[in-house]
Amino acid sequence: MAFKLIGNGLSPFVRKTRVFFAEKGLGYELEPLIPFNVPPEYKRKSPLGKIPCLEHDGRPLPDSSVICAYVEKVQPQPPLYPTEPWDYAQALWLEEWADGGLVANAMAPIFQERVIKKLFKQPVDEERFVNARDKALPGFLDYLEERIGDQQYLVGGRFTIADIAVSSPFVNMAHAGVTIDAKRWPKAAAYVDRIHSRPSFKGLIEEERASLPK
């Protein structure tokens, strides 16, 4: 089976799929692509023009959530989705909470204003950054603090897609100099640190840091 993943490693969604592949023990080729003004041939593979897009034996499949669900069927072991119906639904909900909520409302503006605009030498919207950090992010951290509680993992007592999806955006925020206040959210901070210390995350975080300007 030949897997090619198209996208940029700094994307939380590309990272999500790369961590998923690492946890599965599957190899893949990474084809870099910056998701701005993508060429028409890429849009034929990923009609929304977003990253990542997987090519499996030459067949394109866009969207990180779809890719992970597909790879789970292709390579069921080790399982990264719960089998119990309620836990399965909770994992899908947390993935959506992270992808559609945390990323869109908190991580994206933080990362764009502190990292992306610096890379492209564009003017920074400081008000947008501060609003995301001080107004949007705390609500997500309150929920995560309550949700993780005294558990090691978010769903079913084991590492799942929920942990991958929820933890990935916090890498971007760390790149932007925004970390979780461990005094205000001690359980969330410890949880994210714990997940980021897994080899599947740790290697990618180090790779990304080395690629960013000092």
Side-chain angles (χ1 to χ4, degrees), residues 5 17 20-21 52-54 61-72 81:
L5 193 62
T17 56
F20 197 91
F21 269 83
C53 182
L54 177 72
L61 186 66
D63 188 87
S64 64
S65 297
V66 174
I67 292 167
C68 290
Y70 171 71
V71 173
E72 178 79 1
Y81 287 79

Side-chain angles (χ1 to χ4, degrees), residues 11-13 15-16 163-172 196 201:
S11 159
F13 306 120
R15 185 185 307 109
K16 181 175 80 171
D163 301 296
I164 299 174
V166 168
S167 299
S168 184
F170 288 102
V171 177
N172 292 75
H196 286 179
F201 264 104

